């Protein structure tokens, strides 16, 4: 297999494969961070997480069309505006869903699975009615197109670099919110002992609502970034929900570091195996390896904390 390549060509191939793994890692991190907040800290099994992500993607699609039609001179900057709109659109929908449905199901975690699965079907049909059944794509600004040559054989796509920078930025923002803000302190207090947190004056109902909204907002930003590497359709979110839960559970629910470490491990393993096997077989083997590790260490890579 490798006899037909020179050493420099093999090095270039492995470098490109490794960078592809880093892009996949960035996508996994963006998708999983919102779910790590909702599932890890709140114990809510949100099967509609992919639909919140796709809402962000559709908001980016609408923003792209609006800038292209009415503000062509600022089109190169539309993506930054789109990410803000995506965050607030998905976050506000998350606040409403928590108030209307989730807050009644905190003591019945399995019911949240059924309820959010039904919500995902409703949102899919809503997207299909509003945007149509066909997949749509956004126009990428010129500065995101092309690639940067590292060597004569290795080139790095600019949009891939942007996705990685965005993943690092969002990760740092979530870290600050969880471990350096009063809101994060309240979330961690509630996740460890809800009764005591309520007794010391923490508004647990509002903290729950805000936590769910922020988690959904982060999913919206992930959907915005998703438009640069794939098309958007009513059911596109379901393609990633399994990977997202896999990343969060393997890393240890409630652990930000575990989510990042899990995303890196799974993405690199899958990317490396794709070099030797087909994409579907690489995905199956990665899943089997992760399931095997979880059978040995069911709490994941890092300590699992559950809400009491």
């Amino acid at each position: 297999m490798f006899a037909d390549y020179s050493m420099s060509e093999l090095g270039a191939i492995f470098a490109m494969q490794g960078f592809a793994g880093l892009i996949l890692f960035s996508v996994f991190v963006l998708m999983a961070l919102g779910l790590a907040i909702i599932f890890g800290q709140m114990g809510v099994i949100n099967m509609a997480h992919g639909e919140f992500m796709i809402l962000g993607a559709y908001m980016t699609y609408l923003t792209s069309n609006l800038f292209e039609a009415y503000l062509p001179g600022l089109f190169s900057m539309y993506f930054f505006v789109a990410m803000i709109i995506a965050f607030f659109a998905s976050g506000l929908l998350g606040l409403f869903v928590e108030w209307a449905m989730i807050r009644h199901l905190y003591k019945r975690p399995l019911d949240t699975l059924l309820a959010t699965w039904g919500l995902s079907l409703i949102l899919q049909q809503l997207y299909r009615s509003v945007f149509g059944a066909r997949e749509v794509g956004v126009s990428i600004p010129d500065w995101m197109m092309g690639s940067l040559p590292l060597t004569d054989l290795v080139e790095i796509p600019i949009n891939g670099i942007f996705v990685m920078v965005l993943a690092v930025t969002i990760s740092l923002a979530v870290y600050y919110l969880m471990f350096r803000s009063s809101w994060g302190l309240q979330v961690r207090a509630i996740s460890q002992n809800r009764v005591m947190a309520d007794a010391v004056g923490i508004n647990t109902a509002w903290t729950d609502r805000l936590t769910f909204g922020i988690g959904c907002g982060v999913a919206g930003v992930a959907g915005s970034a998703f438009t640069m590497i794939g098309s958007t359709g009513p059911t596109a979110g379901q393609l990633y929900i399994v990977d997202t839960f896999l990343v969060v559970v393997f890393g240890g629910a409630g652990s930000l570091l575990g989510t990042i470490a899990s995303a890196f491990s799974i993405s690199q393993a899958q990317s490396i195996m794709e070099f030797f096997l087909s994409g579907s077989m690489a995905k199956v083997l990665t899943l089997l390896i992760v399931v095997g590790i979880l059978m040995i260490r069911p709490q994941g890579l890092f300590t699992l904390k559950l809400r009491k």
Side-chain angles (χ1 to χ4, degrees):
M1 177 178 180
F2 301 108
D4 297 333
Y5 299 98
S6 65
M7 291 300 295
S8 59
E9 290 175 332
L10 283 176
I13 291 173
F14 279 108
M16 293 295 292
Q17 200 68 23
F19 188 79
L22 288 177
I23 296 177
L24 184 61
F25 157 70
S26 302
V27 173
F28 280 171
V29 167
L30 287 172
M31 291 190 305
L33 281 176
L35 192 63
I37 296 173
I38 295 173
F39 178 58
Q41 297 296 334
M42 302 178 66
V44 174
I45 306 174
N46 184 17
M47 294 301 293
H49 187 77
E51 279 61 47
F52 286 99
M53 185 181 78
I54 295 306
L55 176 59
Y58 274 124
M59 290 300 102
T60 304
Y61 167 71
L62 292 178
T63 305
S64 170
N65 290 344
L66 287 174
F67 269 73
E68 195 170 19
Y70 300 105
L71 296 170
L74 299 176
F75 183 77
S76 61
M77 305 300 294
Y78 89 85
F79 195 79
F80 299 100
V81 178
M83 285 191 295
I84 297 174
I85 294 175
F87 176 82
F88 282 102
S90 297
L92 289 174
L93 179 60
L95 290 176
F96 173 76
V97 169
E98 198 282 338
W99 172 80
M101 181 174 67
I102 301 298
R103 66 190 177 103
H104 304 291
L105 303 174
Y106 281 129
K107 295 182 180 179
R108 296 178 289 170
L110 291 181
D111 286 353
T112 64
L113 185 151
L114 293 174
T116 54
W117 178 67
L119 175 64
S120 72
L121 297 179
I122 293 173
L123 290 176
Q124 286 176 32
Q125 186 57 48
L126 180 63
Y127 298 155
R128 190 175 288 109
S129 300
V130 175
F131 299 102
R134 292 186 177 181
E135 294 185 342
V136 297
V138 303
S139 300
I140 300 177
D142 292 338
W143 63 271
M144 284 189 187
M145 302 179 70
S147 58
L148 297 177
L150 290 185
T151 67
D152 294 337
L153 299 175
V154 179
E155 292 185 348
I156 301 176
I158 295 175
N159 62 344
I161 297 176
F162 182 82
V163 171
M164 287 192 293
V165 172
L166 181 62
V168 172
T169 304
I170 298 298
S171 298
L172 292 175
V174 171
Y175 172 82
Y176 176 82
L177 286 173
M178 290 300 302
F179 299 102
R180 292 294 184 268
S181 70
S182 59
W183 168 77
L185 183 62
Q186 292 175 5
V187 171
R188 286 181 285 125
I190 294 171
S191 68
Q192 293 178 24
N193 194 319
R194 168 178 286 274
V195 176
M196 185 60 68
D198 196 31
V200 299
I202 296 176
N203 188 339
T204 55
W206 170 246
T207 303
D208 286 336
R209 193 159 305 146
L210 190 60
T211 302
F212 193 85
I214 290 177
C216 293
V218 172
V221 176
S224 186
F226 171 77
T227 60
M228 292 190 298
I229 57 176
S231 56
T232 302
T235 59
Q238 291 299 307
L239 301 177
Y240 297 93
I241 190 67
V242 174
D243 288 332
T244 306
F245 269 103
L246 187 66
V247 168
V248 173
V249 173
F250 183 53
S255 172
L256 177 61
L257 181 60
T259 298
I260 295 173
S262 172
F264 182 81
S265 302
I266 293 174
S267 62
Q268 289 298 323
Q270 186 172 320
S271 179
I272 291 172
M273 284 191 286
E274 282 180 356
F275 181 75
F276 301 97
L277 305 168
S278 64
S280 58
M281 184 58 67
K283 201 173 188 68
V284 169
L285 286 179
T286 303
L287 177 62
L288 290 176
I289 292 171
V290 171
V291 170
I293 295 175
L294 287 175
M295 291 178 67
I296 300 172
R297 187 179 172 84
Q299 70 270 34
L301 296 178
F302 291 82
T303 303
L304 179 66
K305 292 182 180 180
L306 295 176
R307 170 175 298 203
K308 296 178 181 181

